[in-house]
Amino acid sequence: MNDAGIVTGVAVAVDGERIVEIGPQAELDRRYPHATRIDCQRGVLTPGLVDSHTHAIFGKPRYEEQELRASGLDYMEIARRGGGIHSSVRDLRGRSEDDLLDLAIPRLRRLAAHGVTTVEVKSGYGLTPDDELKSLRVIRRLGEILPMRLVPTWLGAHEIPLEFREIRDGRSEYVRLLVSTMLPAVSSAGLARFADVFCEPGVFTIDESRTILTAARSAGLGLKLHADELRASGGAELAAEIGATSADHLAAISETGIRVLAASTTVATLLPGTMLFLGKEKQAPARALVDAGAAVALATDFNPGTSPTTNFPLVMTLGVSQLRMSVAESVVASTVNGAAALSLADEVGQIAPDFSADLALFAADDVRELPYWYGDNRCAATWVRGRLCHPSSRDIVPYHQGRALAQGIDRMTSTR
Amino acid sequence: MNDAGIVTGVAVAVDGERIVEIGPQAELDRRYPHATRIDCQRGVLTPGLVDSHTHAIFGKPRYEEQELRASGLDYMEIARRGGGIHSSVRDLRGRSEDDLLDLAIPRLRRLAAHGVTTVEVKSGYGLTPDDELKSLRVIRRLGEILPMRLVPTWLGAHEIPLEFREIRDGRSEYVRLLVSTMLPAVSSAGLARFADVFCEPGVFTIDESRTILTAARSAGLGLKLHADELRASGGAELAAEIGATSADHLAAISETGIRVLAASTTVATLLPGTMLFLGKEKQAPARALVDAGAAVALATDFNPGTSPTTNFPLVMTLGVSQLRMSVAESVVASTVNGAAALSLADEVGQIAPDFSADLALFAADDVRELPYWYGDNRCAATWVRGRLCHPSSRDIVPYHQGRALAQGIDRMTSTR
């Protein structure tokens, strides 16, 4: 992971939707004399950032909980009082598909404005067949409207809904509903690429998670797992056992979990912004995971309760400053490994021939400036499948075009 | 501090450079029928944010140190190897006043773009009479060029320069140079409002700090102190003893220090971004300070080594999520108390009659969104002395104008 393949003084040739060649400017100028030229003005060009874990379909923000936590209440306590996920569920159930679409568009555009070109979006605030399908249809429509690359994940197993918590055998009833009703509906409508489960003591157990994900695999979905976020409960081990594409969070992963993940093909997706926003001192053991040989990805966890950020480069900052990854590891975790966490590693996440021309341009002289100027947004433009994604004609032009964009030739960062 | 005086559905009347009245829109419409109207479109209007602690006059960024720290080297170790402050000193000494000015302008504009209207700027990377005066002249020229309100601080005592560390009695020689040569030159040129000292084991001792600041007080300067950042060494106590306007950092402040500061008029300025960026788990005990009755301010500590951020609202996020302040306390710490930390409490930091019309408008429905959407920038505009500061004609229009700006009447947040 520590080799991000960074090169300078080169240009990138794109044909249609694909990257065809990387090389010195003069050479590409000779080879493609009739190409349209885009001057990157010595900025840093990266593969478009891949945000492989978001819950971007939600209604109201939940800012009141940030203060409650500051006053001493923890996440689980807020949830037990009917806040947390449950309040987003109540809110989402009352909204129309169009309303949710209108709310999601500017939120995803903010992600795009920070360099993200591929974004995984989960359902999970519906928790009924109708409301989960409604959320997934919003994601499909977003994919048609926005130029970003969207990957839909069904997270019907985000929480046991209150109406099932209140009845006898409600847990097993809800798992049955997920497997026998919701999953077939999602699958036959072709609305999801992945299934995900929030596996954590108090939410879904290891056995319940195994049941749901095994059924999802049979239905042809890829697998993801919210694992070991608050307590080590064998989530990472389960993810490896069932061949999940990724195990996410992992702030409390055990030594065994680290070893098992490192020996598997499951990507370890870390979400350091969440720990920051929740005021937790403990971050996931990124160093131990990387050193053990696990493929580590970084993502925003964008959601209304525990990580309302769209600033992906800030997550890269946390990758270096909090998780003690190198800048190269942080870049790889945000591109190549993010793509692997979505089974898109052959398609996006690298600036290399035959890869999709999904690119992000930053107003910086050095790739190390991306995590360095923390909280700032230096993204000047993004392209998806060779087409300009940000700024779009519906955006106002970004103000972030500093001195670095007033100079000469191209510079690019290839992550191969 | 927990009463930020937030009101809704009101308008603010400005006459020239001053706020004259706050009241219901209809009433102000009647009273000032010929006034120019600015539609705040239901955004959140706050006093312009006051960033009372920055080191914004520097040359090159120091992104390589972020990675060194990630690999295990600490701040003091990097400094001992000639990195850290020393590398910024070497760099700044080789630059012209014009060069430093050109570098500082876009950096301060980025602060302005995040809602800051008043910014304290320290010298401290010169450490010779000529280079400190050069830095302070840059600050004066910035104040003439930019519409922001700038407060210059002389920080000749930022570090013992290497050329004095290497000679016998170098420490006392340098303190003599500060007091007998540099201070009179700074003072007679009228280039600084405050003097500051980096009081920390390994840098300036308590006694040296007292000597320097006592002389500065006699020269008519206000006093500030970098205190108890890494180890409790009596810095907070010294700040109170000599009547410093602020004691800054305080991540390692002692119980006694908290008690003494709370009983004094010295503002406790906390810089949580620095601890985040340095990867320290320990934050300043904001809760204990506030509860003891200290006046707490928040600031960015914008500098190339330990806090390269211009995103002030992110510091407010850390105020709530990491320091466990309420949103109201975080707003007060970023406005009223920031102003008090610069002896400007009668002039800025409040939306109230007779205060300067220094205002910041955010595209949000509720003031709690400022710390909530962490890492994002919702600032739509700022005014200083009643004049538009951001966006300026030299900026491109900000892209951060979301849906909240597409609606009707005004809303404002008065911090009284």
Side-chain angles (χ1 to χ4, degrees), chain A residues 50-390:
Chain A
V50 179
D51 193 353
S52 65
H53 187 131
T54 82
H55 306 255
I57 308 302
F58 61 90
K60 68 181 169 74
R62 282 170 23 211
Y63 37 75
E64 63 284 357
E65 292 177 19
Q66 188 185 9
E67 266 193 332
L68 287 177
R69 275 190 303 274
S71 76
L73 294 191
D74 78 0
Y75 174 73
M76 285 303 200
E77 178 60 29
I78 291 169
R80 267 192 293 275
R81 297 185 183 197
I85 289 173
H86 298 298
S87 81
S88 287
V89 170
R90 269 193 309 276
D91 177 72
L92 181 134
R93 288 177 178 175
R95 292 182 188 267
S96 70
E97 198 176 305
D98 285 351
D99 185 17
L100 290 170
L101 187 74
D102 286 348
L103 286 168
I105 288 172
R107 291 168 182 166
L108 288 175
R109 285 193 178 279
R110 281 176 187 269
L111 271 174
H114 288 88
V116 173
T117 55
T118 297
V119 55
E120 186 253 23
V121 184
K122 303 177 198 292
S123 68
Y125 296 119
L127 310 189
T128 68
D130 282 354
D131 292 304
E132 287 294 303
L133 289 167
K134 176 174 73 180
S135 301
L136 290 167
R137 282 194 304 269
V138 172
I139 302 171
R140 178 157 70 186
R141 289 173 64 188
L142 286 167
E144 292 160 2
I145 292 168
L146 297 172
M148 305 172 83
R149 192 184 292 268
L150 264 64
V151 178
T153 293
W154 168 59
L155 179 59
H158 197 190
E159 175 56 288
I160 314 276
L162 286 178
E163 64 273 19
F164 282 84
R165 281 196 180 268
E166 287 156 5
I167 58 171
R168 213 175 117 89
D169 293 329
R171 298 185 65 86
S172 50
E173 288 281 334
Y174 188 63
V175 173
R176 199 156 29 239
L177 178 74
L178 288 169
V179 171
S180 308
T181 306
M182 230 185 276
L183 172 60
V186 167
S187 167
S188 70
L191 283 169
R193 291 255 292 274
F194 289 93
D196 193 351
V197 175
F198 190 16
C199 176
E200 189 78 28
V203 195
F204 291 93
T205 66
I206 293 287
D207 284 344
E208 289 163 349
S209 302
R210 186 187 287 109
T211 300
I212 298 161
L213 290 179
T214 304
R217 185 172 52 197
S218 301
L221 298 181
L223 309 183
K224 290 180 161 285
L225 193 64
H226 282 63
D228 302 330
E229 175 176 358
L230 306 170
R231 271 180 284 167
S233 63
E237 293 87 331
L238 174 64
E241 172 200 321
I242 57 174
T245 307
S246 72
D248 300 37
H249 279 294
L250 306 176
I253 188 174
S254 69
E255 290 294 323
T256 307
I258 293 172
R259 214 165 42 241
V260 170
L261 269 196
S264 76
T265 57
T266 301
V267 175
T269 301
L270 308 185
L271 311 165
T274 307
M275 295 294 117
L276 171 79
F277 189 71
L278 291 177
K280 302 276 181 197
E281 285 185 5
K282 199 170 156 206
Q283 286 282 6
R287 200 64 263 152
L289 282 160
V290 172
D291 293 343
V296 170
L298 289 169
T300 61
D301 194 18
F302 177 55
N303 79 74
T306 64
S307 188
T309 195
T310 51
N311 188 335
F312 199 114
L314 178 61
V315 174
M316 298 171 74
T317 298
L318 299 176
V320 180
S321 283
Q322 299 274 310
L323 302 183
R324 307 205 169 275
M325 297 164 76
S326 69
V327 173
E329 288 167 344
S330 178
V331 169
V332 169
S334 307
T335 54
V336 184
N337 288 0
L342 298 175
S343 299
L344 290 174
D346 296 334
E347 181 71 11
V348 302
Q350 300 188 41
I351 303 180
D354 298 328
F355 275 72
S356 181
D358 292 20
L359 301 163
L361 177 64
F362 294 87
D365 294 325
D366 191 294
V367 70
R368 289 174 291 183
E369 293 182 65
L370 271 58
Y372 172 77
W373 299 109
Y374 73 97
D376 201 356
N377 180 18
R378 304 248 158 180
C379 179
T382 69
W383 294 263
V384 175
R385 298 188 179 91
R387 283 177 50 217
L388 189 66
C389 173
H390 170 81

Side-chain angles (χ1 to χ4, degrees), chain B residues 47-304:
Chain B
L49 303 179
V50 179
D51 194 353
S52 64
H53 186 131
T54 83
H55 306 255
I57 309 302
F58 62 90
K60 67 181 169 73
R62 285 171 20 212
Y63 38 74
E64 64 284 358
E65 293 177 18
Q66 189 186 10
E67 266 192 333
L68 287 176
R69 275 190 303 273
S71 76
L73 294 192
D74 78 1
Y75 175 74
M76 286 303 203
E77 179 60 30
I78 291 169
R80 268 193 292 274
R81 296 184 182 195
I85 290 173
H86 298 299
S87 81
S88 287
V89 170
R90 270 194 308 276
D91 177 72
L92 181 135
R93 288 177 179 176
R95 292 183 189 265
S96 69
E97 198 177 305
D98 285 350
D99 185 17
L100 290 170
L101 186 74
D102 286 347
L103 286 168
I105 288 171
R107 291 168 181 165
L108 288 176
R109 285 191 178 280
R110 281 176 186 270
L111 270 174
H114 287 87
V116 173
T117 54
T118 296
V119 54
E120 186 253 23
V121 184
K122 303 176 198 293
S123 69
Y125 296 119
L127 309 188
T128 68
D130 282 354
D131 292 304
E132 286 295 304
L133 289 167
K134 175 175 75 179
S135 300
L136 291 167
R137 281 195 304 269
V138 172
I139 302 171
R140 179 157 68 185
R141 288 174 64 188
L142 286 167
E144 292 160 1
I145 292 168
L146 296 172
M148 302 171 83
R149 193 184 290 269
L150 264 63
V151 177
T153 293
W154 169 58
L155 180 57
H158 198 189
E159 176 55 289
I160 315 277
L162 287 178
E163 64 272 21
F164 282 84
R165 282 194 179 270
E166 286 156 3
I167 59 170
R168 213 176 115 91
D169 293 328
R171 298 186 65 85
S172 51
E173 287 281 336
Y174 188 63
V175 173
R176 201 157 26 242
L177 178 74
L178 288 169
V179 170
S180 309
T181 305
M182 230 186 274
L183 173 60
V186 168
S187 167
S188 70
L191 284 168
R193 290 255 292 274
F194 288 93
D196 193 352
V197 176
F198 191 15
C199 175
E200 188 80 27
V203 195
F204 291 93
T205 65
I206 293 286
D207 285 343
E208 289 163 349
S209 302
R210 186 187 288 108
T211 300
I212 299 160
L213 290 180
T214 303
R217 186 171 50 197
S218 301
L221 298 181
L223 309 183
K224 289 179 161 290
L225 193 64
H226 282 63
D228 303 330
E229 176 176 0
L230 305 170
R231 270 180 284 166
S233 64
E237 292 88 330
L238 174 64
E241 172 201 320
I242 58 174
T245 306
S246 73
D248 300 37
H249 279 296
L250 306 175
I253 189 174
S254 69
E255 290 294 324
T256 307
I258 293 172
R259 215 166 40 242
V260 169
L261 269 195
S264 76
T265 57
T266 302
V267 175
T269 301
L270 308 184
L271 311 165
T274 308
M275 295 293 118
L276 172 80
F277 190 71
L278 290 177
K280 303 278 182 196
E281 284 185 5
K282 199 170 157 205
Q283 286 282 5
R287 201 62 263 152
L289 282 160
V290 173
D291 293 343
V296 170
L298 289 168
T300 61
D301 195 18
F302 177 56
N303 80 75

